[in-house]
Amino acid sequence: MKINPNDPKLTAYALGEIQDDNERAAIEELLEHSEEARQEVESIRAAATLLTNELRSDPITLLSERQQQGIASKSQH
């Protein structure tokens, strides 16, 4: 069986976003029988973990007081 790596259901499953029990069960059934699907879900999870870790390591950049005042000033006009 050819797995579509762009299938949003695999991504939703990998990220724990499937709410419907029947839909989750259907995907788990697919995963039991398809090494390709299991690899795709694992790849999605690995990418999500990498992105999460990278985003957590980025410094938070805040606007200066002057920048905040400039935005506030312009938004009142």
Side-chain angles (χ1 to χ4, degrees):
M1 171 184 227
K2 182 69 178 157
I3 302 302
N4 178 358
N6 296 317
D7 187 341
K9 290 180 183 180
L10 288 178
T11 300
Y13 178 84
L15 300 177
E17 297 174 347
I18 301 286
Q19 301 293 323
D20 183 85
D21 291 338
N22 293 329
E23 189 173 2
R24 186 174 29 260
I27 293 171
E28 288 170 352
E29 175 76 17
L30 169 67
L31 295 175
E32 285 182 32
H33 296 86
S34 173
E35 177 65 25
E36 185 180 8
R38 286 191 302 273
Q39 288 176 354
E40 188 61 33
V41 167
E42 188 55 39
S43 175
I44 293 165
R45 287 179 176 157
T49 298
L50 178 66
L51 287 171
T52 298
N53 291 339
E54 286 298 314
L55 290 172
R56 284 185 181 149
S57 69
D58 279 349
I60 297 173
T61 305
L62 301 175
L63 297 175
S64 69
E65 185 68 33
R66 182 175 178 205
Q67 290 169 317
Q68 292 175 28
Q69 289 173 353
I71 291 170
S73 173
K74 291 187 187 228
S75 68
Q76 294 175 359
H77 290 120

